[in-house]
Amino acid sequence: MTILMKQQFLGDWREGLSAAQCRPLIQHYGRQSSAYFNLQSDVRRFGDPRLGFVAYAPVNTLLGRVNIVFANPVCAPSIQSLLLRQCLEQVPGQFLFSGIDDSVTGDLQALGFTINAMGTEFRVRIPAFDTVGRDKKQLRHAGNLGRRCQLRVREQQAREVDTRQMERISRHWRQHKRVRSHELRLLTRPPVFSDEWGVRRFYAYDREDRLLGYVFFDPFFENGNVVGYTANILRQDMEQSPSGLLDFIILEAMECFHREGIEYLSLGISPLHNIEAIPGDNPLIRHVAQFLYRHGNRLYAFRSLAYHKTRYRGEETRWYLASRETSTLKVAWSLLRGTGILGSPDYVQPSGDSSVPVPG
C-alpha cells in the first residue's frame, strides 16, 4: 500500500471522540499503566474510533491555550506517528506531552519536540513479588494488620458500599494533603464513587464492620486482555485506621490478582522523581524540575510519594515530558495548573459524552 493510499484509508480523524468510542481502543491498545486515565472527565479526545486517539486537556493560561497530553497515544505502534501529526495539525493551541514513555519520544522528536525526564513509574511483577528481607519490613508489618487488628478486605462493587461513607473518608483524607480543596487530575484520575467499566475496588473493614479505607485499581491491557492494574485511588480514615492500612489493602488485592494470573501491579508515577539529564533535553526545564522536587513539597508531596513507592522494590521506568517552542515558564505553569497542584485547573470545557460507561 502506498503512503498516499494509507493516508486516505486513515483519513477519518476528528475531535470529540466519546469515552464509549475510546473504550474498545483502550482494551486493545491500552498497554500503558495510565491508559485508563484517558477516560476521565474534562478532557478531549482526537482520533479515529477505528484506529486510535490522543487524549488531552486544553488549559487556559495567561500565555495562551496549552493542550496537555498526559498519557501515551492509544493506537497501534505503526500509526502512532501519523496520529500525532494529524492531532498537531488539526487541534488549535500549543501541545505539551507529559506522562509518556519511551515508545512515544522518538516520534515526537521527529516532529521537533524536546524531551525531558519528568518522573518515574513504579511497577511490581506480581508473580515474583514477596515481602522477604529487611528492606520490606514495613510491608510485612502492614501485611499482618488483618491478624493484629482483626481487619478484613473485601472486593465489592461501588453500589454495594455506602457512597456517603466513601465520600466522607475521601474528604477527610484530602484535608491531610497538600492540595486540599479539590482533586488532582491528568497524571492521576479523580475518584468516581459509582461503578465503572473494568475498575476493581477493595475496601477494608474493622471488627465492627466500619469502613476504614479503600483502594481503586484501574486496568491496563495487552491485545484485549487485562495484564495489570494501577493503584489509582488510595483513601483511608485518618483518625480511625491504623498505620499501613493502604499497604494492607494493596497486598490483599495483589494476592487476589496473583490467583487470577495478573502479571503487573503499577503504583503509578512519582512526578519529578529521579530527574537526570538525557541527551538533547532542555537544561532549564530540568533544573526547574529538580528544584521543585527538592523545595516544592509544600505544593505537593513529591519526595514522600516517591519514598513510599520505592518500598515495594519494583521496576522503575522513566517517563517523559515533551515540549516544542514553549517557554519553561509556560511549561511549568501549564502542568501545575492543569494537574491542579496550583489551584483548580482552568480547562477549556469539552463538549459531548465524557462519561465512562458501566457494563450493562
Side-chain angles (χ1 to χ4, degrees):
M1 181 181 293
T2 67
I3 294 177
L4 178 59
M5 290 174 63
K6 185 176 181 180
Q7 289 178 335
Q8 288 174 340
F9 176 69
L10 304 178
D12 191 19
W13 305 111
R14 60 183 183 269
E15 291 188 80
L17 298 189
S18 69
Q21 289 174 308
C22 293
R23 191 182 80 176
L25 292 166
I26 287 177
Q27 192 167 5
H28 195 75
Y29 299 116
R31 298 173 292 273
Q32 191 182 23
S33 61
S34 59
Y36 202 99
F37 294 4
N38 291 301
L39 297 180
Q40 65 185 283
S41 61
D42 295 331
V43 305
R44 299 187 185 185
R45 305 172 192 92
F46 173 92
D48 183 321
R50 304 166 302 163
L51 301 169
F53 70 94
V54 174
Y56 60 95
V59 178
N60 287 316
T61 76
L62 295 176
L63 301 174
R65 168 174 162 167
V66 177
N67 302 308
I68 300 178
V69 178
F70 48 89
N72 289 354
V74 179
C75 64
S78 60
I79 68 161
Q80 179 173 268
S81 178
L82 177 61
L83 170 57
L84 288 168
R85 288 200 306 272
Q86 293 293 327
C87 184
L88 293 170
E89 290 174 5
Q90 296 189 35
V91 177
Q94 286 186 300
F95 271 83
L96 182 63
F97 290 79
S98 64
I100 56 173
D101 62 29
D102 58 9
S103 69
V104 187
T105 55
D107 285 337
L108 288 174
Q109 283 177 315
L111 292 167
F113 281 80
T114 299
I115 309 300
N116 278 76
M118 64 84 61
T120 303
E121 186 220 3
F122 293 84
R123 180 181 296 203
V124 175
R125 284 197 68 250
I126 295 175
F129 178 78
D130 60 45
T131 58
V132 176
R134 290 183 57 188
D135 56 359
K136 294 181 180 176
K137 179 180 179 180
Q138 291 172 305
L139 292 182
R140 284 199 303 277
H141 179 82
N144 290 326
L145 280 180
R147 177 178 51 82
R148 292 201 320 271
C149 302
Q150 296 185 345
L151 306 180
R152 65 186 184 282
V153 172
R154 295 202 296 259
E155 181 178 9
Q156 296 174 282
Q157 297 293 316
R159 60 181 175 271
E160 299 175 313
V161 183
D162 188 337
T163 301
R164 293 171 297 178
Q165 291 187 55
M166 288 191 284
E167 292 177 340
R168 175 188 59 81
I169 288 174
S170 185
R171 286 194 304 271
H172 290 176
W173 177 89
R174 209 167 58 224
Q175 291 304 308
H176 291 79
K177 301 300 175 181
R178 301 290 192 271
V179 181
R180 301 180 180 182
S181 62
H182 56 274
E183 298 287 352
L184 297 178
R185 296 180 178 273
L186 304 188
L187 295 179
T188 186
R189 191 172 72 89
V192 175
F193 297 113
S194 57
D195 290 317
E196 302 173 281
W197 163 69
V199 175
R200 307 279 293 270
R201 301 164 187 268
F202 290 79
Y203 301 85
Y205 296 89
D206 66 9
R207 70 183 74 179
E208 298 175 2
D209 209 34
R210 292 180 300 186
L211 179 63
L212 297 180
Y214 48 85
V215 180
F216 299 165
F217 296 87
D218 290 349
F220 51 100
F221 301 87
E222 186 77 42
N223 296 322
N225 299 311
V226 175
V227 294
Y229 288 96
T230 299
N232 180 44
I233 297 300
L234 299 85
R235 301 288 156 96
Q236 70 181 82
D237 187 322
M238 301 298 289
E239 297 177 355
Q240 302 295 327
S241 60
S243 174
L245 179 76
L246 295 177
D247 287 320
F248 172 59
I249 299 174
I250 290 174
L251 293 171
E252 292 288 298
M254 287 177 68
E255 289 190 10
C256 178
F257 299 153
H258 191 193
R259 292 192 296 269
E260 297 172 1
I262 300 299
E263 184 74 11
Y264 296 107
L265 171 79
S266 174
L267 300 169
I269 187 173
S270 288
L272 309 187
H273 175 67
N274 197 25
I275 299 295
E276 297 177 345
I278 59 176
D281 71 356
N282 182 326
L284 186 53
I285 290 178
R286 182 191 344 124
H287 294 324
V288 169
Q290 292 169 335
F291 178 85
L292 285 172
Y293 187 77
R294 291 193 301 268
H295 304 291
N297 284 267
R298 295 183 62 182
L299 297 175
Y300 183 76
F302 296 109
R303 285 182 293 180
S304 59
L305 179 66
Y307 170 73
H308 179 82
K309 294 179 180 181
T310 60
R311 296 190 303 181
Y312 283 78
R313 301 300 186 264
E315 302 170 0
E316 298 185 16
T317 302
R318 181 176 289 163
W319 282 8
Y320 299 93
L321 171 75
S323 58
R324 184 174 69 176
E325 299 176 354
T326 306
S327 70
T328 301
L329 173 61
K330 194 171 185 177
V331 169
W333 181 258
S334 298
L335 287 175
L336 291 173
R337 287 288 291 178
T339 56
I341 293 175
L342 277 183
S344 184
D346 181 17
Y347 296 147
V348 179
Q349 291 300 314
S351 58
D353 173 25
S354 61
S355 61
V356 181
V358 177

